[in-house]
Amino acid sequence: MAAWAGAQHVSGVMLLEDPSGTMTLPQVLDAERAGRFRAGDTNVGMTTSAFWMRFTIPPYPHAPGAAFWFDTGNRTLQEIALYQPDGHGGWRHAATGSTQPFAQRPLPTDQFVFPITLQQGADTVLYLRVRSTAYMGIIVQPRIWQPQAYMEHMEWERTGWHIYLGMAASLAGFYLMLWLYLREIDHLLYVLSLASIVFATCSALGGYGAAYALYWPDAPRFEQSAWVGAILAAGLFPVLFITRLADLWRRLPRLNLTLRWLVILNTVVASAILLVFWLHPGTSAALQQQLFIVGWLVWQPIFPLVLSGVVYVAWRGDRMARFILVAYLPAVMASAWTSVENLRGMPPTLSLLMWGAAFELLVMALALADRFHCERLDTFAARQAMLNNLRQSEQELERKVMQRTLELNAEQKRTKELLYNILPVELADELSATGRAQPARHESATVLFTDFAGFTALASTMPADRMIAELNDIFAAFDDIADECGIEKIKTIGDAYMAAAGLPKPCADHAQRCVRAGMKMIAYVEQRNHSHAFKWTLRVGIHSGPVVAGVVGKRKYAFDIWGDTVNIASRMESAGAGMKVNVSAYTSDLAGDAFQCEYRGKVAAKGKGDIDMYFVVGERTGT
């Protein structure tokens, strides 16, 4: 016995299929004598038949009465019973299964383990009856253990399992609080992904660890439901978490759509298995196993597709995808190794999967922390950029304000200049300052009117654009003359031009100013007639007296004057002669010191009777 310690794999199994599941041990012994047992593999797979397995255990050197344990390597079978010789020519047996509470197992172990006694000096024959009445197939990986070695092995596995659970619980608690504080969905998805992976690690396909024994020993149906329920959760939350973390939904939309449909199908199939399992326990094994095969086919491409997407994104330089690859590499390697062990008929090293999952959870937690750190740096950089942008915007705003101020000042200057062109300077300033111009009465002012004789007849033969151009040239020259002589242009009415002096700012020589302007206007027209095809005949009339001046209008301001003086000045013009300045007696008296005037006599003026009128002959010499 000293040469043999720990566990020994059992090989050389003989199989007998019992489709009805009703055969008894005597019937099995008769079948053996009839040669119906066949050599086969203990991993039978999906079937609803019961199977009898015959094991021949060679003799091992041991002390009389030494006990051994027969480990089936299975946790999921609904019916499992071991028959062994009782040493008196009979048989004793022990039965258990996943439909029974944990306390009814022959030994308090996570897998189905039976105590056995090996014969000395002869082979020991064992018969194991197994049957699946639910969605899991028949997989048996028998080993013979020394009890102490098995207990040490189980204790080591449970210690590692508790460490794994403690680490997972710490990470879950930390990131759950982080989610409650930050309300970022990634942290919640990590917690759900972690919980589903832990649940799957402890329960899927029979699980490992002591979850059943410690947490729900009296709920065998829940234990069986947890196996496929874990697959449902593990196919949902980790996929959502990884695809979101690697941003696959945006970078690889077609792959993301395929994964979405696979996850939906996996959820539907797993839910269907659970529904059938709970509604028809023990009588729907064939349907459950068919659904399980469909679910297995749907499940298989999910994580390879996720991994391929992550590899592609990592190859494109994504930092988070590289974290994910590092996290899942040990889990992928552990899965590959346990698959090789299953193919070779060896019990899988489940602890590799557990530690691979633990490494995955830890690295993914570091990935989230790294992402949080990068986001914090990005936030800081964004704040700095925002501050820089604000400074630049402030400087740009100041520059624009200064530019707009200069433009506004220029516009105000242009507006004021335009207003000066419309109104007298004094009234324009008053209007700008107060919003209105106060009307005023001027006791002594002079009003000038000009008109073109025969204008109506001339306009009927002249093209409109030419007529406007002619008038514009002449009136522009009159404006210059008015500025030169210091008189205020009032307005133009058709072919008439009206101006005044002595307002709005009073002056003593208002009469001379208007007479001088009238003479210059006639001189300009005479000179112009020499060089232009159209010959104009200008009449000028001037009168002096009191007037009222003011600004009228709401949208278009207009400076105007009113009073009888204006009417008489108009009569002076209409009663005058072509190319002559016709003035009233009052104006003649006021301007007589500077201009020589010729008396015309009393001339009839419409609506005014006979009025003394004078033609201005010219400016006096020496003045």
Side-chain angles (χ1 to χ4, degrees), residues 401-415:
V401 168
M402 185 176 295
Q403 181 181 353
R404 294 292 186 271
T405 302
L406 294 175
E407 291 176 355
L408 181 60
N409 291 337
E411 189 64 29
Q412 288 178 340
K413 183 179 180 182
R414 285 193 296 269
T415 302

Side-chain angles (χ1 to χ4, degrees), residues 444-464:
S444 182
T446 300
V447 179
L448 175 147
F449 272 96
T450 73
D451 193 7
F452 293 104
F455 176 79
T456 303
L458 186 62
S460 63
T461 61
M462 184 185 301

